[in-house]
């Protein structure tokens, strides 16, 4: 895995964060610890999808990128993003594109 691939994934993750901020979906308050420790996929029982991205997914993936650690075998969060952000209509498109890019780049790094 080349440094350029890791940098591309980091850039895609940053674009996702910027998109969440631009859409007003970035929170300034950290959820309670018990809400972050859900065993349900995407913490669907305790967090909104964008909260999960902000407080669980983005920090974990950023740590793996910084350490050039082992990525999960499957990222594939786009279907959940599509469902969660369906009420946003067209406003969701840039966010969905960012999520798709993170999925794609993470998959490339895993399967090399």
């Amino acid at each position: 895995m080349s440094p350029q691939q890791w940098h591309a994934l980091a850039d895609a993750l940053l674009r996702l964060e910027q998109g969440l901020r631009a859409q007003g979906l970035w929170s300034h308050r950290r959820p309670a610890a018990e809400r972050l420790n859900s065993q349900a996929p995407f913490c669907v029982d305790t967090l909104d999808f964008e909260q999960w991205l902000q407080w669980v997914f983005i920090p974990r993936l950023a740590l793996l990128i910084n350490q050039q650690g082992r990525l999960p075998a499957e990222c594939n969060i786009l279907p959940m993003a599509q469902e969660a952000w369906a009420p946003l209509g067209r406003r969701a498109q840039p966010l969905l594109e960012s999520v798709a890019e993170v999925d794609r780049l993470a998959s490339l790094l895993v399967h090399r």
Side-chain angles (χ1 to χ4, degrees):
M1 295 177 248
S2 74
Q4 292 83 6
Q5 291 171 308
W6 287 107
H7 288 295
L9 181 56
D11 289 345
L13 197 62
L14 180 59
R15 283 190 298 277
L16 175 57
E17 178 181 332
Q18 290 169 336
L20 289 168
R21 288 178 185 273
Q23 291 290 337
L25 298 174
W26 194 261
S27 175
H28 296 291
R29 287 196 181 162
R30 183 178 179 83
E34 60 271 9
R35 292 182 63 206
L36 295 168
N37 291 326
S38 168
Q39 297 303 304
F42 309 104
C43 298
V44 295
D45 58 341
T46 58
L47 299 175
D48 292 332
F49 181 66
E50 51 273 4
Q51 290 175 309
W52 175 80
L53 286 170
Q54 178 180 352
W55 299 106
V56 179
F57 181 77
I58 291 173
R60 286 184 186 168
L61 190 54
L63 180 64
L64 290 173
I65 291 167
N66 288 333
Q67 297 175 345
Q68 294 188 3
R70 185 179 178 138
L71 295 173
E74 286 284 326
C75 190
N76 201 25
I77 62 171
L78 182 60
M80 184 62 185
Q82 290 168 325
E83 181 177 326
W85 294 329
L88 295 177
R90 291 181 193 221
R91 287 185 33 222
Q93 194 57 40
L95 290 170
L96 294 173
E97 289 170 5
S98 292
V99 167
E101 185 69 355
V102 169
D103 277 354
R104 185 184 72 77
L105 292 167
S107 179
L108 286 174
L109 284 167
V110 169
H111 295 105
R112 288 210 173 241

